[in-house]
Amino acid sequence: MSIELVNFSKSYSSRKNAAFAVKNVNMTCKDGEIAGILGLNGAGKTTILKAVCARHFATGGKVLVNGIDVQDESERVRSLTGFVMEQPLFQSELFVCEYLAQIAALHGIYDTKEKQSLAEAMSKVKKLCSLDSVWSKKIVSLSKGFRERLNFAQALIYDPPVLVLDEPASGLDPSQILKMRALVQSLKKNHTILLSTHLMQEVAALCDSVYIIDNGQCVAFGTPDSIAAENNCKTLEEAFFKLTKESEA
């Protein structure tokens, strides 16, 4: 699986001279790779992620998932992508197991006498996301850490080959962040992963490559070390602030 953006631009207005939230971004994320999008809040990161998941469509350019045009085959792309949102919209009064069964059903996974596909999917995601202790609890009662595990579980329940993670460390304490990182690393082998963050340490811990986005445009691409070297900086952090400051000048 792969993700590719070709001159991707997005405006949230149909007016002729409307501003673009993202403009002319080119990006590639390959199978077995974790690619990161690094940028300040409001830089355009979530706009890119939602386009990859067919939650909205390009104003200009193309978004391709495994060569499939998102705009032409949006339902197919949604079945291939799992989206871990920064602020998930849970049905809080449902039990954890009940909520995940509903998500699975939306993607055509049911229990039948011939094939226990739902039971298998539920068992797998319960173990993978360590949800055993809250499986029969209502979502409203969950801690922030367990809500984030559930957020991953709803994206994984239908076994999509592409994972899109929007600020997966947001609001987590240090222990929860370490568990999240371990989960993401374990998923890398069998998934193409694209994540957004504004945290340098998440890029260093997880990403094989990184795109720096500022004011809706890509201002750098490479490994953390190569971006630092190309900008005559000692660290990615130093390069990041140099690049974003220059783009604002």
Side-chain angles (χ1 to χ4, degrees):
M1 286 287 166
S2 63
I3 299 167
E4 186 177 5
L5 277 67
V6 182
N7 294 324
F8 169 73
S9 297
K10 176 66 180 178
S11 172
Y12 289 102
S13 173
S14 59
R15 291 181 301 166
K16 186 175 181 180
N17 296 318
F20 284 89
V22 174
K23 190 170 184 180
N24 295 330
V25 168
N26 291 284
M27 185 177 295
T28 301
C29 183
K30 299 177 181 179
D31 187 31
E33 176 180 293
I34 301 177
I37 304 175
L38 178 63
L40 299 171
N41 291 332
K45 303 186 301 296
T46 299
T47 295
I48 293 171
L49 299 190
K50 286 184 175 181
V52 171
C53 297
R55 301 299 177 99
H56 59 204
F57 304 108
T59 304
K62 287 187 176 183
V63 180
L64 307 169
V65 175
N66 205 35
I68 303 166
D69 191 310
V70 169
Q71 193 151 353
D72 292 343
E73 298 186 65
S74 58
E75 288 301 320
R76 187 178 175 191
V77 168
R78 290 187 191 110
S79 72
L80 295 173
T81 55
F83 189 22
V84 176
M85 296 172 282
E86 181 180 8
Q87 297 179 332
L89 302 174
F90 293 131
Q91 294 172 274
S92 295
E93 290 305 313
L94 294 181
F95 295 97
V96 168
C97 55
E98 182 183 14
Y99 171 72
L100 290 174
Q102 287 190 6
I103 298 296
L106 288 173
H107 290 272
I109 302 174
Y110 303 95
D111 264 346
T112 66
K113 292 181 179 179
E114 294 78 22
K115 185 179 179 182
Q116 296 293 313
S117 58
L118 177 59
E120 291 170 0
M122 295 279 275
S123 177
K124 180 178 178 180
V125 82
K126 178 167 66 171
K127 181 179 180 181
L128 185 63
C129 297
S130 302
L131 291 169
D132 304 65
S133 63
V134 298
W135 196 245
S136 298
K137 291 186 177 181
K138 286 191 173 184
I139 296 172
V140 69
S141 71
L142 300 185
S143 66
K144 173 66 177 177
F146 275 114
R147 281 176 173 259
E148 189 62 7
R149 293 186 203 181
L150 181 59
N151 195 9
F152 271 86
Q154 62 81 27
L156 292 166
I157 188 70
Y158 51 99
D159 199 24
V162 175
L163 292 177
V164 177
L165 317 178
D166 193 2
E167 301 282 0
S170 178
L172 299 182
D173 65 33
S175 175
Q176 292 165 345
I177 289 173
L178 289 177
K179 291 175 182 177
M180 179 277 296
R181 288 178 186 170
L183 175 57
V184 173
Q185 288 285 15
S186 73
L187 294 167
K188 176 181 175 179
K189 182 178 178 181
N190 298 312
H191 296 83
T192 301
I193 302 177
L194 179 65
L195 70 85
S196 76
T197 185
H198 62 275
L199 303 173
M200 305 292 167
Q201 58 267 40
E202 291 312 303
V203 170
L206 292 171
C207 298
D208 300 296
S209 60
V210 58
Y211 293 82
I212 296 180
I213 302 294
D214 188 62
N215 291 323
Q217 294 184 301
C218 182
V219 295
F221 162 71
T223 65
D225 288 343
S226 71
I227 291 174
E230 288 168 7
N231 289 278
N232 297 315
C233 296
K234 294 181 180 179
T235 65
L236 175 65
E237 182 175 24
E238 184 182 342
F240 174 78
F241 287 113
K242 178 181 179 181
L243 288 163
T244 55
K245 183 178 181 180
E246 287 178 352
S247 69
E248 292 171 357

